[in-house]
Every structure is written in structure tokens, then in C-alpha cells.
Amino acid sequence: MPAYDRIDRISEEIRRNVDKIIREDVRDPRIDGTWSLVRAEATRDLRYCKIRVSILESDKRAPMMDALKKASGFIRRELSHRMMLRYTPELLFELDVNIEYAAHINELLKQEERHDDQP
């Protein structure tokens, strides 16, 4: 299991560095609003890293995901300068909708509670 601990630590370090690069160095007007990098999952050989992005405003999701995919080469190059890895993984950005899903479930539960309170 030590290999997985190492990969988990590297994945978290990649997530922190990519977040900082996007916020400070990427100059694309489509990257704005309320967003966060939820999780990074590097493969064991560090060739690829999936980065889960949560974007709250639904109208900004598609443009921002396009901007991130377009900037992935720049982000990867900047990441290689900041981290001492044999291979800098290819970055694969994926939309994370777990927060929206949880909010939807919460709203359904509230509606059910209101329904139960009525005589």
C-alpha cells in the first residue's frame, strides 16, 4: 500500500499546484465565477491525472471546461517547473457535479418534509 499513499500525496500536490496556476497564471476570461478543483487522481505510472472541477454557475460550465482543456498544455508546462517529477502527467479535466446533485437531493428532502407536514 505504500505506493498508493505516494500517489495520493502526489495527486494532492498536483491539485494544489494546478489550482494555483489556474488562479494566478491562466489569463482566460472564461475562467471566472465560483469554482474549485475538488480532486486529482493520478495514475500509478503518473502518465495521466484526472482533475475534477466543480463549477457552481451552470451557464459557465461549458465555457470554463473548454478554457481549461485549451490551457492544459500551458498548465502542464507550468506544473513541470514547480514539481520535481520524472514525468509530468497529462491533465484531464472533468466536471464534478456532486455539489449540484447533493443540493438537488436536499431540495427533494425538504419538499418531502413539507409534504409530510400537511394534513
Side-chain angles (χ1 to χ4, degrees), residues 28-69:
D28 192 318
R30 296 175 293 177
I31 299 176
D32 68 342
T34 306
W35 60 272
S36 66
L37 301 184
V38 178
R39 185 176 188 181
E41 299 171 353
T43 58
R44 289 184 63 188
D45 61 359
L46 292 176
R47 299 288 182 176
Y48 299 95
C49 184
K50 290 182 189 176
I51 299 178
R52 309 275 299 172
V53 182
S54 177
I55 306 167
L56 292 184
E57 296 94 352
S58 60
D59 59 326
K60 295 183 180 182
R61 288 183 183 148
M64 186 166 168
M65 291 305 292
D66 288 339
L68 289 173
K69 288 175 184 173

Side-chain angles (χ1 to χ4, degrees), residues 4-115:
Y4 291 110
D5 292 339
R6 177 179 176 269
I7 295 301
D8 291 342
R9 286 192 315 266
I10 291 171
S11 295
E12 180 58 24
E13 188 66 24
I14 289 171
R15 187 198 64 77
R16 281 193 301 251
N17 279 295
V18 169
D19 186 83
K20 190 171 184 177
I21 292 166
I22 293 170
R23 292 185 191 281
E24 295 176 359
D25 300 328
V26 176
R27 304 282 183 239
D28 192 318
R30 296 175 293 177
I31 299 176
D32 68 342
T34 306
W35 60 272
S36 66
L37 301 184
V38 178
R39 185 176 188 181
E41 299 171 353
T43 58
R44 289 184 63 188
D45 61 359
L46 292 176
R47 299 288 182 176
Y48 299 95
C49 184
K50 290 182 189 176
I51 299 178
R52 309 275 299 172
V53 182
S54 177
I55 306 167
L56 292 184
E57 296 94 352
S58 60
D59 59 326
K60 295 183 180 182
R61 288 183 183 148
M64 186 166 168
M65 291 305 292
D66 288 339
L68 289 173
K69 288 175 184 173
K70 182 179 176 194
S72 65
F74 170 78
I75 297 168
R76 183 179 184 198
R77 187 175 64 244
E78 289 297 312
L79 185 64
S80 71
H81 295 306
R82 295 176 188 218
M83 294 185 70
M84 302 298 282
L85 296 173
R86 177 174 287 156
Y87 301 108
T88 303
E90 183 176 336
L91 304 175
L92 307 170
F93 292 98
E94 295 181 348
L95 185 62
D96 184 63
V97 293
N98 287 336
I99 293 174
E100 181 181 334
Y101 181 72
H104 175 69
I105 295 296
N106 192 28
E107 184 60 35
L108 291 175
L109 290 173
K110 285 181 183 178
Q111 288 176 2
E112 186 63 30
E113 286 176 1
R114 282 186 240 136
H115 216 286

